[in-house]
């Protein structure tokens, strides 16, 4: 089933409706949409998202640096509800400046090969270093009145982690969650081409190969294993983060009913 949403201003947007759940139902179309950066949306794209797809909420996972440098984007001038939750640990420090974070996030020389093990550690780092933002992003999806678009820059790493957890709460089997994450590989060259000359991504992307950026199943499997082994699953992680059983059930119902 193809769920790509083809718009002028994005290359990695898709609806996460239509995925099977363990209880024999499925995820609802139009409730959860994942995407790369929304900065280049055309006027027609904006109308389509709001009027045709029924989007009401935008969950922006970009860092403070990305938000400051690339701007708010065209959806900010609409009545949509906007949420911004950085998943980077340096953004949790209120004394850190954008310039400081830029140097830390995009100016460093990182010799580590970005294989599946690297990305798995990177993603679980979101859960350990910014649980506040991860939980808040999922709460924004839970409390949305229409469709929620979750996005970062590429729509692969931060977005993949958050929507993977949302799908787990909905009851989507692990193999389906992993398959959706890997599906971004179909567009990875277009994603990188879109970002590689854009500040601040131009500082780091040219130093890494396309293969290093391509999503591998093992990376998402590592996230799900971390959740299962440490918390008994995503539901347990959310409970540890302060969610009630009713909160968890509300997210499940939001995505499946």
């Amino acid at each position: 089933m193809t769920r790509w949403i083809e718009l002028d201003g994005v290359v990695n947007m898709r609806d996460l409706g239509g995925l099977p759940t363990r209880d024999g139902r499925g995820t609802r179309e139009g409730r959860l949409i994942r995407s790369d950066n929304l900065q280049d949306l055309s006027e027609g794209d904006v109308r389509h998202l709001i009027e045709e797809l029924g989007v009401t909420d935008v969950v922006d996972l970009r860092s403070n640096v990305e938000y400051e440098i690339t701007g708010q984007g065209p959806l900010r001038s609409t009545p949509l509800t906007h949420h911004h939750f950085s998943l980077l640990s340096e953004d949790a420090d209120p004394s850190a400046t954008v310039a400081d974070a830029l140097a830390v996030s995009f100016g460093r020389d990182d010799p580590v090969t970005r294989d599946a093990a690297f990305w798995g550690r990177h993603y679980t780092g979101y859960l350990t270093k910014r649980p506040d933002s991860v939980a808040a992003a999922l709460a924004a999806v839970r409390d949305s009145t229409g469709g929620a678009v979750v996005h970062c820059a590429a729509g692969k790493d931060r977005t993949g982690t958050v929507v993977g957890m949302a799908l787990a709460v909905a009851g989507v089997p692990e193999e389906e969650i992993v398959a959706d994450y890997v599906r971004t590989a179909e567009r990875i060259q277009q994603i990188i081409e879109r970002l590689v000359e854009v500040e601040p991504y131009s500082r780091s992307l040219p130093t890494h190969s396309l293969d290093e950026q391509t999503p591998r199943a093992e990376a998402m499997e590592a996230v799900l294993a971390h959740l299962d082994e440490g918390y008994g699953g995503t539901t347990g992680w959310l409970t540890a983060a302060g969610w009630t059983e009713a909160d968890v059930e509300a997210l499940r119902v939001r995505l499946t009913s």
Side-chain angles (χ1 to χ4, degrees), residues 189-233:
Q189 182 166 347
Q190 295 161 269
I191 293 167
I192 299 305
E193 288 175 350
R194 181 172 178 242
L195 295 175
V196 72
E197 295 184 0
V198 177
E199 181 78 15
Y201 316 111
S202 58
R203 297 186 179 218
S204 57
L205 280 180
T207 66
H208 299 282
S209 69
L210 189 65
D211 184 67
E212 288 179 299
Q213 296 292 339
T214 300
R216 312 288 183 191
E218 294 84 356
M220 185 53 59
E221 288 168 354
V223 175
L224 299 175
H226 172 84
L227 291 164
D228 287 341
E229 294 167 6
Y231 303 91

Side-chain angles (χ1 to χ4, degrees), residues 70-83:
T70 63
Q72 297 180 339
L75 286 176
R76 271 290 182 175
S77 61
T78 71
L80 299 185
T81 301
H82 294 267
H83 315 266

